[in-house]
Each structure stands twice: as structure tokens, then as C-alpha cells.
Amino acid sequence: AKSSGRSTYAFYSQELTSQARQRVELVTALRQALEQGQLRLHFQPIYDLQTGTISGFEALVRWQHPEKGLIAPGIFIPIAEETGLISAIDHWVLEQACNQAREWLGQGHPLGFIAVNISSRLFGNGELDLQVATILARSGLEARHLELEITESAVMQDPDAALELLQRLRALGVQLAIDDFGTGYSSLQRLKRMNVHKLKIDQGFVRGLPEDRDDAAITRSVIGLAHNLGLKVVAEGIETADQAAFLLAQDCDYGQGYGFARPLPADEIDWRPSELCYG
Ligand code: C2E
Ligand code: CA
Ligand code: CA
Ligand code: CA
């Protein structure tokens, strides 16, 4: 029994070691990916629901791995967050997104905003406003065209510091959005004090629309709450015309989702108005 126990233990620890090794390899490869230009940005259009035209885009990072192909952020963002590599990635994304937006505007596209996801790490380092100001100056993009998507959990880590940082970012002139709204625990009081411009309703609430009564009630009240506070609302994860029609009927301002368009490389974007709920 003793020897079998030992061999089980040996097997188990070997497993752990190989898992740990895989992780270290992934982190090393990711650091290289950043240095060797293997990261890519895809852009998902965000539509004005009233007109069906594109208002802006959300920039979403992908990893073009030389052997494994295109890797989704769900695989490497969590590891990048744990190791701190995320700040360098976010910085790269910010810069690329601002440059792309500047290029589109230069080509005469009526772009309202480019939205960039900000990790809690970058949000928490206290210097985000300086970094954003530098990148804006370098790219020549006007601040009003840049939107930062911040999660409730990033704000909750240090609410007082977060409120001050949000204030400084607002003063720069960038737009602020709370991402995945409804999945965190921010109080209405705090929401009011955060003084952001937009709420993004999490796709978990959009999925059940229009049939699910709870999801319908939640989206309706989030839209009402946001509008009463003077905020715009984006619904994400819209996949069907019924969902889009329901949200339009509830006066939701913007929509994003596979039903409109998937995230795409910049040169594959179709700028024509969507026919999802207007056809
Ligand atoms: P998120 O910020 O909530 O982004 C929305 C995600 O939903 C994206 O997944 C998008 O492709 C996906 N999506 C859009 N429409 C639909 C739809 O109709 N149905 C479904 N099922 N999904 C839809 P993606 O690109 O895989 O990104 C996943 C998450 O990774 C993002 O969630 C965000 O938290 C993170 N992420 C992506 N890019 C960045 C980045 O540049 N920086 C940071 N810090 N995080 C990023
Ligand atoms: Ca987002
Ligand atoms: Ca989101
Ligand atoms: Ca999400």
C-alpha cells in the first residue's frame, strides 16, 4: 500500500510540475508575442439602435500564434492579469486602437468612438491618466473619440482612488463606460458618484430577451436607471433581431453583438448600416 501511495504521489506531483511548466511556457511565449508583434486587434462595431449605423467599435485583442493559430483573449488575458503582463498588453492595445481610430477619421469615416478594455491592473496603477494622455498626444486622436471600458470590480478594489482617477480621466475629455454592468456589486450611490458616460449591459441579461421575464425586467430597469442619471446604454451580445427590436423598443441607445457583426480585423469592416431590426 505504501509503495502504491508513493507512486500516486509521484504521479500527482509530476502532473502539477508539468502544469506549472506549461504556465511558465505560456507566459514566456506571451511576452515574446508582445515583443514580436503576434498580438492583433479586432474591432466589433457598436451600432446606434435608432439609425442602424455604426457609432463606434470595441477593440478586442487576439494572439496570432505561429503554430496554434488565433488564440482568444479568454485563454491568455487571465494569465496576463496574474503575472502583470496585462499592463503592457493594455498599453499596446490602447496605442493601436488610437492609431486605428485616427486613421479611420482621416479616411473620412464618421467614427464616434473607439472603446478599449482597461484591466483592473492598469486601472489600479494610478497612472492611467498620464499614460492615456501620452498615447492620445502621440496618436493625434482627440480625447472625445476614446472610450475606456472599466469593470465594476476594478472600481471596487479601491473605490476612493478609483473615483479620483475617473475624475482625472473625465477631465482629459475621454468617455467612460462601465463594462459588464449588473454582474458586480456597485451601489446606486457609487454609480452616481462614478460619473461615467455609459453603461454596458452584460450579455448574460441580453441572452434571454425578449422571452425571459427576469432578463426583460432587468434590462428595462437598467435602461431607465441609466437614462435618469443621464447615461447612455449599450447592450452587448445581441444575436437576434428580436433582441435588437426589444432593446430598441426599450429605448436602449447602442447595440453590439454577433447579430450585427462579429469582431473583425480593421480592413474587413463593413461600414454600411445594419439591417438587423430595420430590414
Ligand atoms: P468583454 O469586454 O465583455 O467583451 C465582449 C466579448 O463578447 C468579446 O469576446 C466579444 O467577441 C464577445 N461577443 C460579442 N458579441 C457577442 C455575441 O453576440 N454573442 C456572444 N456569445 N459573444 C459576443 P472576446 O473578444 O473573446 O473577449 C473576451 C473578454 O476578454 C472581453 O470581454 C474582455 O474582458 C477581455 N478582453 C478582450 N480584449 C481585451 C483587451 O484588449 N484588454 C483587456 N484588458 N481585456 C480584453
Ligand atoms: Ca468590454
Ligand atoms: Ca462586456
Ligand atoms: Ca463580459
Side-chain angles (χ1 to χ4, degrees):
K2 216 175 190 182
S3 74
S4 110
R6 195 178 296 141
S7 74
T8 306
Y9 172 76
F11 175 75
Y12 190 60
S13 76
Q14 214 170 30
E15 277 285 284
L16 278 185
T17 313
S18 99
Q19 255 188 34
R21 196 185 304 121
Q22 272 185 18
R23 252 183 67 96
V24 172
E25 279 168 7
L26 185 61
V27 171
T28 308
L30 187 54
R31 192 167 285 129
Q32 276 175 7
L34 192 59
E35 285 162 6
Q36 298 175 356
Q38 294 169 12
L39 296 187
R40 302 276 178 274
L41 270 195
H42 282 184
F43 299 90
Q44 187 174 33
I46 299 176
Y47 289 83
D48 180 330
L49 285 177
Q50 297 282 339
T51 61
T53 57
I54 292 179
S55 284
F57 295 88
E58 177 173 3
L60 295 156
V61 71
R62 275 97 183 84
W63 178 1
Q64 184 66 56
H65 193 283
E67 286 126 38
K68 294 175 187 154
L70 205 63
I71 305 180
I75 310 280
F76 61 91
I77 290 283
I79 288 171
E81 274 170 350
E82 286 171 37
T83 56
L85 207 53
I86 189 67
S87 298
I89 294 177
D90 279 353
H91 198 268
W92 179 86
V93 169
L94 259 174
E95 185 137 49
Q96 294 297 308
C98 288
N99 289 341
Q100 184 60 60
R102 179 68 217 270
E103 193 178 318
W104 278 327
L105 285 161
Q107 291 165 353
H109 288 298
L111 179 78
F113 60 89
I114 185 90
V116 175
N117 291 285
I118 302 295
S119 68
S120 341
R121 248 330 154 129
L122 187 62
F123 188 74
N125 81 6
E127 292 185 346
L128 179 61
D129 55 327
L130 299 177
Q131 296 178 2
V132 166
T134 306
I135 289 172
L136 284 172
R138 238 190 337 237
S139 69
L141 184 72
E142 282 179 66
R144 65 191 170 94
H145 293 301
L146 177 62
E147 184 167 298
L148 305 180
E149 295 193 2
I150 293 148
T151 58
E152 290 173 83
S153 53
V155 173
M156 294 302 286
Q157 283 180 2
D158 185 350
D160 292 333
L163 289 182
E164 280 178 28
L165 177 57
L166 289 173
Q167 183 49 46
R168 296 202 301 275
L169 288 166
R170 257 183 96 87
L172 278 182
V174 300
Q175 305 286 312
L176 300 170
I178 298 292
D179 201 0
D180 302 342
F181 186 75
T183 61
Y185 300 93
S186 48
S187 66
L188 295 182
Q189 175 66 20
R190 181 164 293 122
L191 178 62
K192 189 182 134 198
R193 288 174 57 208
M194 285 193 291
N195 214 359
V196 297
H197 304 86
K198 277 184 198 166
L199 293 186
K200 294 192 79 169
I201 301 183
D202 190 68
Q203 55 191 56
F205 301 112
V206 173
R207 200 166 299 137
L209 298 179
E211 292 87 6
D212 187 285
R213 298 176 110 226
D214 295 335
D215 287 346
I218 289 167
T219 26
R220 208 180 280 122
S221 41
V222 169
I223 294 166
L225 167 73
H227 285 169
N228 283 328
L229 291 172
L231 313 185
K232 302 280 190 193
V233 186
V234 186
E236 57 179 22
I238 299 177
E239 295 186 351
T240 69
D242 280 354
Q243 290 168 343
F246 176 88
L247 288 157
L248 177 61
Q250 301 306 321
D251 217 18
C252 184
D253 304 282
Y254 302 102
Q256 170 185 6
Y258 295 166
F260 287 107
R262 290 186 174 254
L264 287 169
D267 56 1
E268 290 175 30
I269 289 183
D270 183 351
W271 287 85
R272 289 172 300 177
S274 166
E275 286 169 6
L276 185 63
C277 56
Y278 314 88

